[in-house]
Structure formats: C-alpha cells, structure tokens
Amino acid sequence: MSGVEEHGLVARVEGSAGIIRLNRPKAINAVTLEMFRGIDKALDRFGADPAVAVIVLEGAGERGLCAGGDIRALWESSKVDGDLGKILWREEYILNARIKKFPKPYVAFMDGIVMGGGVGLSAHASHRIVSERTRLAMPEVGLGFFPDVGGTYLLSRSPGEIGTYFGLTGQTMNGPDAIHAKFADAVVPVAKWPGLREALTKVRQGVTAADVSKLINGFATGEAAGPVAARQATIDALFGFHGMEDIVAALKRDGSEFAHATLKTLNEKSPRGLVVTLKLLRLARTASSLEECLVREYRAALEVFRSDDFREGVRAAVIDKDRNPTWSPPRIEDVTPDLLAPYLAEIGADELKFN
C-alpha cells in the first residue's frame, strides 16, 4: 500500500484499486482547489500504473461523500474582486470532463450528502453507487448560482422534466431517485460497502467496465425509482416550458399541495439564478457532449462570480446563516434578456479549453 495524504485528500493504492478519499470529514469533505489538484495528480499516477485496475472515490466520515466546493473561500475572493473563481472552476470543470473519459473503471461511492462539487467528482464516473443514506442535490440556485460541474448536462438527460425540477428547486434526491434521474447506477446498502470495496481491490488487471458492473450488481438492491419518480407525469406537465414565468403560472393553475410547496421553494431562490439555470438546461438538451455544457457553464460561472446575487446568496446561507437573502432583481419578470445575455456570451481568451 502506497500513497499520499495531504490537503484534505488521501490517494493510495490498495491491491489493484487506486483509492481517492476526500478527507475533510468535519466539513463534510468540502473540496478545495488543492484537493482538485491532488485528485488530478492521483489520476495521472493511477492511470499510468499498470497495477491499478480500478479507481475508487469515497468520503471520510459518516456524513457524506462531499457537501460541495469551498463556498466560503469563493465568497471571500468575490468580495475583493479576486480570481479564485476563474482558477478553481477552470481546473474543476476540466477535471469533471477527465473523470467522464477516464480509461479505467471509476467507481464513486455516493453515500450520505452529495452536493455541488461532490456531484462533479462522482456523477460523471463510469460506476456510480448510492446508499440508503444518500442525499444528493444541486442547490446552487439558492446561492444565486446554477447547477454547474456538468450539472446542466446531467440534469438535461434526466427523464422528462425531472432534471428541470431538481435543478430549479434544489430538492434532494434519495438513492433510488438519483438512479431514476440518471445521476447514479446502483443502490448498495452501507453495510455491504466494505465487502464491495474489498472486492474492488482484488479485481484483475484489465478488468472491463461490464465486469465491474456485474460485481457491483451482486451487492446492489435493484431499486431504481424513489418518491419523486412517482410524480413524473405531474412534474412533466408543470415544468415543460422554456420560460420561468410559464412554469410559475402552471404551478399556480395546478393549485395542488405539491404545486403549492414547489412554488414556495422557488420563491426562496434567486430569480436571476432561476432564469439562468432554465436557459442553460434547455441549451444543454441539444449539446453533443459534457465539454460543450462545461464551456457554457464556465462562461456563466464567471458572470455569477461578479454578481451581487452570488455574494448575497452565500452570505445568507453560509456566512450569516439568516436564510433571508435580498435578491437583485427581486422578481423573475425583472430578469430581462439584457440581464441574461452576459451569462451566455463568449469570453475570448478566457474560454474553457480541454486537452
């Protein structure tokens, strides 16, 4: 067994598995720029090592794989017109694309809380395992942001309007709903994870993705749809529009308890974040690749980083924790095409590029 442990990350070889463990349990393994760089280096090493047949991503502690990125550091940089957002998101998004194309099987154990940046490290994996404790969400609209790290790509490929619903409301998926939404592949109970993990460290060299899937399925429950999936038809009818005002109007017309609760949730979100998110989700439906969506997300992210809504959303949720943000503009109908345009504009030399 050999490896490195630094900057909140453990990367080591166990048998035939390259283990990547996010190791900031007190922060629910929130990911820093140094951790992203450490993961990239680990993938360099594991990819080149013929003894490593499979990659395993896991989180330290009992609370979850990863609660997201280091939002406080981004907020502090944004306040002083810094460049952390530009640097961190560039490296993170390039890493997200690398994970999706990694040539060896990449198994992510998405236990407990999995949000934001944690989704980017796991939901693009070739093999995505959830548990009975999984609480997966992309709640960025509540921070004046949008579902990034390839979130628009993933959500736009969920069945019907399920992805639109999760992206706009930030609601949480349990394990089976994560499978229904195409964010995960198999439910493996927490009690069975140690056995599966040990089996993964003993796979033969050159193991195929199909072989790994067969191994995982031997530990899986077979569940594939949760409580939100049961509302598929309703969600499709209410969220099948290209404008936020139309979705809100449909929810008001419906008048059901579900529609009322959903409206209440949307009313708490950044109007600008909602409009940007819906636009990016609709554009993502015709994207030919994850990279195409990430390029678009990077443009929008840099604009978000400069915005008052991002600073205010993080202040209310993370810094002061008063849960009472003052959004600008305060209403969906005030988010004009002119206000939306900079989030979609090309950014010249700063465009995201992949090797």
Side-chain angles (χ1 to χ4, degrees), residues 140-145 265-274 307-317 323-331:
E140 290 82 0
V141 177
L143 298 176
F145 200 33
T265 297
L266 293 177
N267 284 336
E268 296 167 355
K269 309 302 182 188
S270 158
R272 192 188 315 207
L274 288 167
S307 74
D308 291 335
D309 258 22
F310 175 68
R311 289 185 285 271
E312 175 63 5
V314 176
R315 181 206 63 75
R323 306 287 173 183
N324 188 31
T326 301
W327 300 120
S328 175
R331 304 184 307 159

Side-chain angles (χ1 to χ4, degrees), residues 177-235:
D177 268 333
I179 293 173
H180 180 71
K182 299 186 178 180
F183 275 69
D185 305 300
V187 177
V188 173
V190 170
K192 291 189 175 183
W193 170 243
L196 173 54
R197 187 185 186 281
E198 184 179 2
L200 287 167
T201 68
K202 295 178 179 177
V203 297
R204 59 178 171 78
Q205 311 309 318
V207 68
T208 67
D211 290 335
V212 173
S213 293
K214 186 176 180 180
L215 174 62
I216 291 168
N217 288 337
F219 292 81
T221 65
E223 298 168 88
V228 176
R231 296 188 181 274
Q232 179 84 59
T234 300
I235 288 170

Side-chain angles (χ1 to χ4, degrees), residues 53-81:
V54 62
I55 313 301
V56 175
L57 174 74
E58 60 187 8
E62 299 292 318
R63 298 166 70 193
L65 172 66
C66 176
D70 190 351
I71 290 294
R72 183 181 289 269
L74 287 164
W75 178 78
E76 289 172 351
S77 180
S78 176
K79 280 206 310 175
V80 297
D81 197 26

Side-chain angles (χ1 to χ4, degrees), residues 106-309:
Y106 181 119
V107 181
F109 185 48
M110 303 163 74
D111 181 39
I113 292 171
V114 186
M115 294 185 181
V119 173
L121 294 174
S122 58
H124 300 301
S126 60
H127 300 79
R128 305 163 301 174
I129 300 167
V130 286
S131 76
E132 72 275 19
R133 302 191 305 199
T134 295
R135 297 294 179 266
L136 189 154
M138 302 221 64
E140 290 82 0
V141 177
L143 298 176
F145 200 33
F146 61 88
D148 66 330
V149 299
T152 62
Y153 175 86
L154 292 161
L155 291 163
S156 68
R157 279 147 182 79
S158 298
E161 299 296 338
I162 287 287
T164 311
Y165 168 77
F166 279 124
L168 294 175
T169 64
Q171 294 289 80
T172 301
M173 309 177 200
N174 68 4
D177 268 333
I179 293 173
H180 180 71
K182 299 186 178 180
F183 275 69
D185 305 300
V187 177
V188 173
V190 170
K192 291 189 175 183
W193 170 243
L196 173 54
R197 187 185 186 281
E198 184 179 2
L200 287 167
T201 68
K202 295 178 179 177
V203 297
R204 59 178 171 78
Q205 311 309 318
V207 68
T208 67
D211 290 335
V212 173
S213 293
K214 186 176 180 180
L215 174 62
I216 291 168
N217 288 337
F219 292 81
T221 65
E223 298 168 88
V228 176
R231 296 188 181 274
Q232 179 84 59
T234 300
I235 288 170
D236 288 354
L238 296 173
F239 283 83
F241 302 93
H242 290 286
M244 271 310 306
E245 291 178 69
D246 296 322
I247 291 174
V248 169
L251 288 164
K252 287 179 177 176
R253 282 195 305 272
D254 183 89
S256 65
E257 187 177 336
F258 171 75
H260 180 74
T262 302
L263 268 174
K264 184 175 183 296
T265 297
L266 293 177
N267 284 336
E268 296 167 355
K269 309 302 182 188
S270 158
R272 192 188 315 207
L274 288 167
V275 172
V276 170
T277 294
L278 184 59
K279 181 65 175 179
L280 291 174
L281 288 174
R282 294 301 181 249
L283 289 170
R285 282 188 169 168
T286 58
S288 60
S289 66
L290 169 62
E291 286 90 342
E292 183 180 334
C293 290
L294 287 167
V295 166
R296 203 177 282 127
E297 289 177 12
Y298 189 66
R299 294 169 182 167
L302 295 192
E303 188 64 24
V304 166
F305 196 64
R306 290 188 285 266
S307 74
D308 291 335
D309 258 22

